[in-house]
Amino acid sequence: MITTPMGYLLTISLIVAFFAFLDLKTNYKILKYIPAVVLIYAVSMLLASFGIFEQNAQIHHIYKLTKTNLLPAMLFLMLLQIDFRHFLKLGKSLLIAYALAVFSIAAAFILTAFMFHFDANISAAFGALAGSWMGGTANMVAVGSALGVHEDAFAYALVVDSVDYTLWVMLLLFLVPFAKFFNKFTKSDENLAYLGEIGCACSMGAKRYWLLIGFALAVSLFCQILATKVIILNATTSMILFATLLGIAGSFTKLRTINGSSEVSTTMLYILIALIGSNAVIENFSGLGIYVFAGLVILFIHAFIMILGAKIFKLDLFSISVASLANIGGVASAPILAATYNKSLVSVGVLMAIMGYIIGTFGGLLIGNILLRLGSI
């Protein structure tokens, strides 16, 4: 049994390092279907469930301290990668498709909450899931923390995200050969040649990990202090919103050109996932199947609105598919789908997915609070 804070953090770090190594250096097929974040969470949760981590005051304190310090730092670094100038070059069809995807996901979550009558805990968990399906796992962690999602309920969100997202990716890839039939149905303009000239927000060069870590932790400290002075809903929500706004502001400066923010923020995200998993106990789970089904209902409503919007605005299958997966799948999968249409369109998937880092936090918080209100009725 692990009883000390240092032993606890060392174990968390080893779990993260192991799965990060597998993800980067191996070609195991399991990682294509089950993301590293899910495996990190699962192993950490199993250790907690078997009593490896002693739930004493010292470990609880270091858990809370590490999570509080890393969360705003991670959000800040994630948002530094955005380049709004490139995003605005996507063109009318893709921008409409992206806006339609965000709206349809929001509407689908709210309608599904009406149908399933979630309690407060599950409503908060699905609010976190909304953050993920509008942005990414980082947004899920941020929204879940702001809404006070219990560690056990967070596992529901992660499983629904993993299972339903995998099915959604398979469906969108299956539909690629039928693009011409769909485009004929919507009477869209299939000319996407100009998109191949758009670059992504990434740049090449030496990594500046230590500079980024130091700066991100300084921003984290500033956000925590500011959150005690200006409270929006609660201190955690304030801290997250301030980190988000500072990250957006930083993306307009030369900070965006400092390489390594993606790697550092991803490492911080993995540690946060492992920390949350270490406070979950597997025996508390029940009725998981109904929540996976609820996730599928959300995707069905989202798909119906997207198809209807494509018909009204004459959008092509590429635009609505990549816009959808940029939200639901993020940077890991949207570029892959874009490449199946044309390899020169990979950067389009990257740009749309990166924008989700902003939308996911604000959208998830909004939907989460709506779901909580619905759950209290």
Side-chain angles (χ1 to χ4, degrees):
M1 179 179 289
I2 296 170
T3 60
T4 65
M6 280 304 298
Y8 171 68
L9 288 181
L10 176 61
T11 305
I12 292 295
S13 300
L14 289 174
I15 294 170
V16 169
F18 176 74
F19 285 106
F21 176 82
L22 288 183
D23 194 27
L24 291 172
K25 302 295 183 180
T26 67
N27 293 315
Y28 292 146
K29 290 184 178 180
I30 188 173
L31 294 173
K32 295 180 180 180
Y33 301 100
I34 305 177
V37 289
V38 175
L39 294 173
I40 289 169
Y41 185 93
V43 170
S44 184
M45 179 183 64
L46 285 173
L47 293 180
S49 299
F50 288 124
I52 303 299
F53 298 129
E54 183 180 282
Q55 299 301 316
N56 57 41
Q58 288 180 314
I59 287 181
H60 179 72
H61 176 71
I62 201 68
Y63 160 80
K64 187 175 180 180
L65 188 65
T66 306
K67 184 180 175 184
T68 301
N69 287 321
L70 283 185
L71 183 54
M74 176 204 66
L75 287 174
F76 174 76
L77 291 179
M78 283 276 186
L79 293 168
L80 284 185
Q81 305 167 58
I82 296 170
D83 192 330
F84 286 94
R85 295 170 301 175
H86 285 137
F87 182 75
L88 294 175
K89 292 179 182 178
L90 290 176
K92 181 180 176 182
S93 293
L94 276 170
L95 292 176
I96 291 175
Y98 185 80
L100 186 63
V102 173
F103 167 77
S104 60
I105 290 170
F109 270 92
I110 295 169
L111 289 172
T112 303
F114 267 117
M115 296 167 59
F116 285 82
H117 303 290
F118 297 142
D119 60 26
N121 202 26
I122 297 301
S123 294
F126 268 76
L129 179 63
S132 176
W133 283 4
M134 287 182 166
T137 307
N139 302 96
M140 178 191 284
V141 174
V143 174
S145 298
L147 296 177
V149 178
H150 192 274
E151 284 80 3
D152 295 339
F154 189 83
Y156 287 126
L158 263 179
V159 173
V160 173
D161 186 19
S162 179
V163 174
D164 292 350
Y165 150 74
T166 301
L167 295 174
W168 191 241
V169 172
M170 291 170 60
L171 175 62
L172 293 180
L173 289 172
F174 172 77
L175 292 175
V176 172
F178 302 97
K180 289 185 177 180
F181 300 102
F182 184 88
N183 296 342
K184 185 177 180 180
F185 164 71
T186 60
K187 300 179 181 178
S188 65
D189 179 10
E190 300 179 53
N191 183 21
L192 300 171
Y194 75 97
L195 294 174
E197 301 175 0
I198 297 176
C200 72
C202 311
S203 56
M204 301 297 291
K207 310 296 183 182
R208 299 287 187 267
Y209 296 132
W210 292 110
L211 174 63
L212 288 166
I213 292 171
F215 200 78
L217 291 177
V219 168
S220 176
L221 176 61
F222 175 74
C223 290
Q224 291 176 58
I225 294 173
L226 189 59
T228 63
K229 308 294 183 182
V230 182
I231 299 178
I232 304 170
L233 296 180
N234 56 60
T236 304
T237 301
S238 301
M239 180 181 70
I240 288 169
L241 291 178
F242 293 142
T244 299
L245 293 173
L246 287 174
I248 295 170
S251 71
F252 287 96
T253 69
K254 291 185 178 180
L255 289 173
R256 191 184 69 247
T257 64
I258 302 175
N259 286 303
S261 60
S262 177
E263 292 91 336
V264 177
S265 59
T266 300
T267 301
M268 291 179 174
L269 172 62
Y270 284 177
I271 293 173
L272 285 166
I273 291 293
L275 286 170
I276 295 171
S278 71
N279 274 256
V281 180
I282 197 169
E283 65 185 20
N284 294 336
F285 300 157
S286 63
L288 181 59
I290 191 66
Y291 302 124
V292 173
F293 177 69
L296 292 174
V297 172
I298 291 170
L299 292 177
F300 176 81
I301 297 172
H302 161 63
F304 176 79
I305 297 174
M306 290 295 285
I307 294 171
L308 182 63
K311 181 65 175 177
I312 294 171
F313 296 106
K314 298 181 180 180
L315 303 176
D316 58 277
L317 185 61
F318 168 82
S319 296
I320 65 168
S321 295
V322 173
S324 172
L325 201 56
N327 281 272
I328 294 170
V331 178
S333 53
I336 296 173
L337 179 62
T340 60
Y341 285 90
N342 191 318
K343 291 182 179 179
S344 66
L345 301 177
V346 168
S347 60
V348 174
V350 174
L351 285 172
M352 296 182 80
I354 287 177
M355 280 301 298
Y357 292 151
I358 295 177
I359 303 297
T361 299
F362 291 110
L365 285 173
L366 176 61
I367 293 173
N369 280 284
I370 292 173
L371 297 188
L372 285 171
R373 287 182 179 273
L374 291 175
S376 63
I377 297 175

